């Protein structure tokens, strides 16, 4: 019975999957001690030769996740030449998936890492949108990928959140007549700013529904058609001053508006 052994963990990515499998397996043998030597980003035969040459114990086993077929096959051959036991963690899964799906895998390394990176970027973007929603902190304007400006209830917040799920860091700034426009708005490139306008009759209906939900008096200036016209005129004036593109949000779904924003931003950058 082997009391001490080395586990060589190799991967053409970071190697977390191979390490977890190796550790979970090795832990099942309580009468033996083990050490893991991890080699991430093994992407060449030269690297494999170097690792094989460094073997300093007969009590070694290789566990690897290498999706590149040529490199994986080369490692297998080297292990067999050295009479070192090996486990190709990916092979059974890929073979079964290939038979099941009737297609060959792309054999691209680091796919999970890329997905994880994408996920964390999305989380960061959503947190950013929440932190800087509705002009809470104008300093966010200077850090944003996209700055949305418009009157209250012109879909700034839902559009910000939707774009955040597309990995864009978005700030939205309400344009309120009588309130100072943040200086930062005039410090960022115009290509980052998008104005949102909406038909007055639609806006008043949206605001009346909002008032009803909040249980407030329907006679407040917030739903006054005269005040709404004044707000929209003021917002249009600011947008002209900024020189930004403007999207008409009347009857537009958030998804449709988001696609327009992305198209505009991509065209201008």
């Amino acid at each position: 019975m082997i009391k001490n052994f080395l586990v060589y963990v190799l991967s053409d990515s970071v190697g977390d999957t191979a390490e977890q499998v190796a550790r979970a397996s090795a832990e099942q043998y309580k009468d033996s001690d083990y050490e893991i030597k991890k080699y991430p980003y093994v992407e060449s035969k030269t690297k494999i030769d170097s690792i094989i040459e460094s073997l300093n114990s007969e009590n070694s086993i290789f566990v690897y996740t290498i999706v590149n077929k040529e490199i994986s096959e080369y490692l297998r051959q080297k292990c067999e030449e050295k009479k070192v036991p090996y486990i190709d963690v990916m092979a059974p899964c890929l073979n079964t998936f290939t038979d099941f799906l009737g297609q060959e895998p792309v054999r691209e390394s680091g796919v999970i890492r890329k997905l994880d990176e994408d996920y964390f970027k999305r989380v960061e973007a959503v947190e950013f949108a929440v932190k800087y929603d509705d002009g809470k902190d104008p300093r966010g304007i200077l850090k944003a990928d996209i700055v949305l400006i418009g009157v209250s209830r012109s879909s700034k917040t839902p559009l910000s959140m939707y774009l955040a799920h597309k990995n864009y860091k978005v700030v939205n700034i309400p344009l309120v007549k009588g309130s100072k426009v943040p200086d930062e708005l005039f410090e960022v490139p115009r290509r980052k700013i998008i104005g949102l306008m909406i038909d007055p009759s639609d806006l008043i209906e949206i605001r009346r529904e909002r008032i009803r939900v909040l249980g407030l008096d329907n006679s407040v200036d917030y739903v006054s058609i005269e005040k709404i016209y004044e707000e929209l005129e003021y917002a249009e004036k600011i947008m002209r001053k900024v020189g930004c593109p403007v999207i008409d949000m009347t009857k537009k779904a958030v998804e449709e508006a988001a696609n327009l924003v992305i198209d505009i931003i991509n065209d201008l950058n």
Side-chain angles (χ1 to χ4, degrees):
M1 184 176 68
I2 296 174
K3 287 291 187 180
N4 298 283
F5 64 99
L6 287 172
V7 182
Y8 283 75
V9 170
L10 285 71
S11 175
D12 50 12
S13 185
V14 292
D16 288 347
T17 301
E19 182 181 7
Q20 288 172 8
V21 170
R23 199 176 293 280
S25 300
E27 284 293 331
Q28 295 300 314
Y29 302 92
K30 299 300 182 184
D31 293 330
S32 297
D33 292 325
Y34 68 94
E35 178 187 346
I36 287 181
K37 289 192 172 185
K38 185 176 175 181
Y39 297 89
Y41 307 113
V42 178
E43 298 174 326
S44 70
K45 294 178 181 179
T46 303
K47 181 70 173 176
I48 289 173
D49 289 339
S50 174
I51 296 168
I52 292 290
E53 287 171 9
S54 72
L55 280 172
N56 55 15
S57 171
E58 293 182 359
N59 299 331
S60 299
I61 183 169
F62 276 60
V63 180
Y64 59 92
T65 51
I66 297 178
V67 295
N68 181 287
K69 196 168 186 177
E70 182 181 356
I71 301 300
S72 178
E73 180 63 18
Y74 185 76
L75 177 56
R76 183 188 66 79
Q77 290 173 1
K78 287 296 180 181
C79 286
E80 290 179 353
E81 286 175 11
K82 290 287 187 179
K83 295 183 170 47
V84 179
Y86 61 88
I87 302 166
D88 182 349
V89 175
M90 297 296 293
C93 291
L94 289 176
N95 291 339
T96 302
F97 269 94
T98 297
D99 292 340
F100 172 64
L101 298 172
Q103 59 178 296
E104 290 297 318
V106 295
R107 294 191 175 275
E108 179 183 348
S109 64
V111 173
I112 294 297
R113 185 177 76 254
K114 289 173 186 174
L115 290 174
D116 286 344
E117 287 172 358
D118 224 34
Y119 169 76
F120 286 116
K121 281 181 183 176
R122 185 157 58 254
V123 169
E124 185 181 1
V126 170
E127 289 176 346
F128 186 93
V130 171
K131 181 177 181 179
Y132 296 110
D133 180 45
D134 205 30
K136 288 176 185 172
D137 185 348
R139 291 175 298 180
I141 295 172
L142 303 177
K143 305 173 187 177
D145 299 318
I146 300 171
V147 180
L148 302 177
I149 58 176
V151 299
S152 174
R153 313 314 294 177
S154 57
S155 296
K156 297 187 305 300
T157 294
L159 187 51
S160 294
M161 294 303 168
Y162 190 92
L163 288 166
H165 280 88
K166 297 286 185 179
N167 292 357
Y168 290 95
K169 291 182 178 178
V170 186
V171 166
N172 71 79
I173 303 295
L175 299 179
V176 181
K177 189 174 182 181
S179 296
K180 186 178 183 299
V181 176
D183 293 333
E184 290 84 353
L185 192 62
F186 302 99
E187 297 174 15
V188 295
R190 289 182 299 175
R191 65 178 184 274
K192 288 188 174 186
I193 306 172
I194 303 287
L196 305 180
M197 291 296 285
I198 186 170
D199 183 82
S201 57
D202 274 46
L203 182 58
I204 196 170
E205 290 303 319
I206 293 169
R207 289 189 175 183
R208 279 175 178 165
E209 177 60 20
R210 178 65 173 166
I211 288 293
R212 187 192 66 79
V213 169
L214 293 175
L216 300 176
D217 185 354
N218 204 32
S219 65
V220 295
D221 281 349
Y222 188 66
V223 290
S224 161
I225 190 65
E226 291 81 10
K227 291 294 183 183
I228 283 175
Y229 272 111
E230 287 179 13
E231 284 185 48
L232 290 171
E233 286 173 9
Y234 172 73
E236 190 174 9
K237 177 183 175 183
I238 296 298
M239 291 172 195
R240 283 199 304 269
K241 185 176 180 180
V242 171
C244 64
V246 177
I247 293 176
D248 184 357
M249 296 297 294
T250 308
K251 301 280 194 292
K252 267 193 181 58
V254 170
E255 297 88 343
E256 181 186 0
N259 289 333
L260 282 173
V261 170
I262 292 169
D263 287 344
I264 291 170
I265 293 295
N266 288 339
D267 286 345
L268 294 176
N269 285 281

